[in-house]
Amino acid sequence: MLHLEPGWKLLLQRGIRRGVRTLRREHDWLGSLGALTGIFILLQLLGLGLATATAGEALLKERTELQLELKAGVNDRDISDLMTGLQELPYVARASFMTREQAYDRARRADPELIGFLEEYGLSNPFNDAVTVTLTSLEHYRDLLHVLEDPGWQRIVDPSFLSNETAEQDYVEALMTVTRGIRSLVLFVLGIGTVTLLFVVINLTRTRALARSEEVLVERIAGAQTATILLPFAAEASVLLAIATIASFIVTVLLASSAPLLVPALGSGGVLGELWGMVRLILHSMIPLAFLVELILIPVIASTGAWIGIAPQVRSPRIAMT
């Protein structure tokens, strides 16, 4: 059974010093350090993917804008009453009036092929005046549609809006389902990566224990406890994991910082600029916590991997001689 004998603080210090001295003396661990750093970089890039999926879902929820097309011939008083009623709803962030000319220009940016078709055949502006409504959350789609079904608003708002927006909501909800699926997949792969990291540490410890089997044998013959033998190997693994964590964080931060340069669409004026801005906000709040969690888990992973790695050596009949 793994336990520490009296004076465990001194034994812990000695074990850590022995592990650090071994790393300084030997240099066959460079390949293992490269492998650990690569795994950490992959895990952190997966974390970046998780942040992107979370940001996409947040944007779908928080930035939901609807365009309520008005019936032809609606007077200014009816429009004012509609906008006042919309702005009084607690889940409406903003309501703005849009003329038919502004709706035409907006359609030109959103669907240039449609406007090109209209202009090619000399068709007139098919759009009516409209009111744009920005909801605080996608979850209030149904609430707004229910309000607009009131007969008082039906004589102002084009009834085709209700069916169109229901279809749009279904589409947005399908996108949210996709983002949730991506997030679940990333979490699953992160779990696999963590298990892979543990196996790499186990293999590293086992390899180093086999290379120093005579040293382990002498310690067992001398009556050393398992914890005393384990500490140097755990210290070596902890140091390598700490170096790999810091190096991989530097690489990941540099990649994230230079992403808009590598992919112009992620820039402030790019198609994905708003999404990347949300990702950066999430990263700024999560990176310190993620780094702290990784540092806390380092001794746990190192000790677990070292224990499993040297167990065959410690339990070997040849080593167990007294």
Side-chain angles (χ1 to χ4, degrees), residues 41-108:
I41 291 176
L42 290 176
L43 291 176
Q44 288 161 10
L45 290 178
L46 285 172
L48 182 60
L50 180 63
T52 303
T54 303
E57 184 177 355
L59 286 177
L60 288 173
K61 284 184 176 181
E62 297 176 3
R63 301 299 300 275
T64 305
E65 186 178 82
L66 310 177
Q67 182 172 324
L68 283 62
E69 189 166 334
L70 307 179
K71 289 183 177 180
V74 176
N75 58 49
D76 294 342
R77 181 173 181 178
D78 289 337
I79 296 174
S80 177
D81 291 341
L82 174 63
M83 293 188 59
T84 300
L86 291 173
Q87 291 172 344
E88 290 177 352
L89 296 175
Y91 46 81
V92 172
R94 184 175 62 256
S96 304
F97 177 71
M98 177 187 296
T99 65
R100 59 196 307 265
E101 291 76 16
Q102 292 172 330
Y104 188 87
D105 292 337
R106 183 173 185 175
R108 183 191 300 275

Side-chain angles (χ1 to χ4, degrees), residues 29-42 196-197 200 241 244:
W29 46 264
L30 292 176
S32 301
L33 177 61
L36 291 173
T37 303
I39 293 175
F40 269 111
I41 291 176
L42 290 176
T196 302
L197 176 64
V200 170
L241 286 172

Side-chain angles (χ1 to χ4, degrees), residues 12-31:
L12 181 62
Q13 294 174 358
R14 288 178 177 175
I16 293 175
R17 285 198 295 266
R18 282 182 56 195
V20 173
R21 282 199 301 268
T22 302
L23 288 177
R24 295 177 61 181
R25 183 177 65 249
E26 302 175 3
H27 299 285
D28 57 348
W29 46 264
L30 292 176

Side-chain angles (χ1 to χ4, degrees), residues 13-313:
Q13 294 174 358
R14 288 178 177 175
I16 293 175
R17 285 198 295 266
R18 282 182 56 195
V20 173
R21 282 199 301 268
T22 302
L23 288 177
R24 295 177 61 181
R25 183 177 65 249
E26 302 175 3
H27 299 285
D28 57 348
W29 46 264
L30 292 176
S32 301
L33 177 61
L36 291 173
T37 303
I39 293 175
F40 269 111
I41 291 176
L42 290 176
L43 291 176
Q44 288 161 10
L45 290 178
L46 285 172
L48 182 60
L50 180 63
T52 303
T54 303
E57 184 177 355
L59 286 177
L60 288 173
K61 284 184 176 181
E62 297 176 3
R63 301 299 300 275
T64 305
E65 186 178 82
L66 310 177
Q67 182 172 324
L68 283 62
E69 189 166 334
L70 307 179
K71 289 183 177 180
V74 176
N75 58 49
D76 294 342
R77 181 173 181 178
D78 289 337
I79 296 174
S80 177
D81 291 341
L82 174 63
M83 293 188 59
T84 300
L86 291 173
Q87 291 172 344
E88 290 177 352
L89 296 175
Y91 46 81
V92 172
R94 184 175 62 256
S96 304
F97 177 71
M98 177 187 296
T99 65
R100 59 196 307 265
E101 291 76 16
Q102 292 172 330
Y104 188 87
D105 292 337
R106 183 173 185 175
R108 183 191 300 275
R109 295 190 297 270
D111 193 353
E113 293 183 359
L114 172 62
I115 302 303
F117 173 81
L118 295 175
E119 293 178 345
E120 180 179 357
Y121 290 95
L123 301 177
S124 61
N125 183 355
F127 300 102
N128 293 331
D129 294 338
V131 173
T132 60
V133 180
T134 302
L135 301 178
T136 57
S137 172
L138 177 68
E139 299 171 353
H140 299 298
Y141 250 107
R142 300 288 182 187
D143 296 331
L144 178 62
L145 294 180
H146 180 70
V147 170
L148 293 176
E149 289 175 352
D150 183 270
W153 300 133
Q154 286 285 306
R155 63 184 180 81
I156 301 175
V157 179
D158 189 338
S160 63
F161 159 81
L162 298 177
S163 59
N164 292 338
E165 290 306 321
T166 300
E168 181 179 348
Q169 182 194 14
D170 293 339
Y171 176 71
V172 173
E173 289 178 346
L175 289 179
M176 291 184 61
T177 302
V178 172
T179 59
R180 293 191 187 104
I182 293 175
R183 185 173 58 185
S184 299
L185 179 61
V186 171
L187 287 172
F188 177 73
V189 178
L190 275 172
I192 294 178
T194 303
V195 174
T196 302
L197 176 64
L198 179 60
F199 277 110
V200 170
V201 174
I202 292 172
N203 184 67
L204 167 65
T205 307
R206 180 169 297 177
T207 301
R208 297 183 69 80
L210 289 173
R212 290 149 56 186
S213 58
E214 294 183 357
E215 177 182 334
V216 175
L217 174 61
V218 170
E219 288 187 278
R220 293 301 291 169
I221 293 175
Q225 295 185 355
T226 302
T228 306
I229 302 174
L230 168 69
L231 285 174
F233 293 99
E236 293 176 24
S238 296
V239 172
L240 293 179
L241 286 172
I243 296 174
T245 299
I246 295 173
S248 62
F249 254 95
I250 293 174
V251 173
T252 304
V253 169
L254 290 176
L255 287 175
S257 301
S258 59
L261 299 177
L262 300 175
V263 184
L266 298 176
S268 57
V271 177
L272 301 176
E274 188 176 11
L275 174 63
W276 185 246
M278 178 69 73
V279 172
R280 292 182 60 184
L281 291 176
I282 294 175
L283 291 179
H284 287 166
S285 62
M286 292 186 62
I287 281 181
L289 178 61
F291 186 71
L292 179 61
V293 169
E294 287 195 18
L295 290 180
I296 293 175
L297 289 178
I298 281 176
V300 177
I301 296 176
S303 300
T304 304
W307 164 242
I308 298 175
I310 69 168
Q313 288 285 84

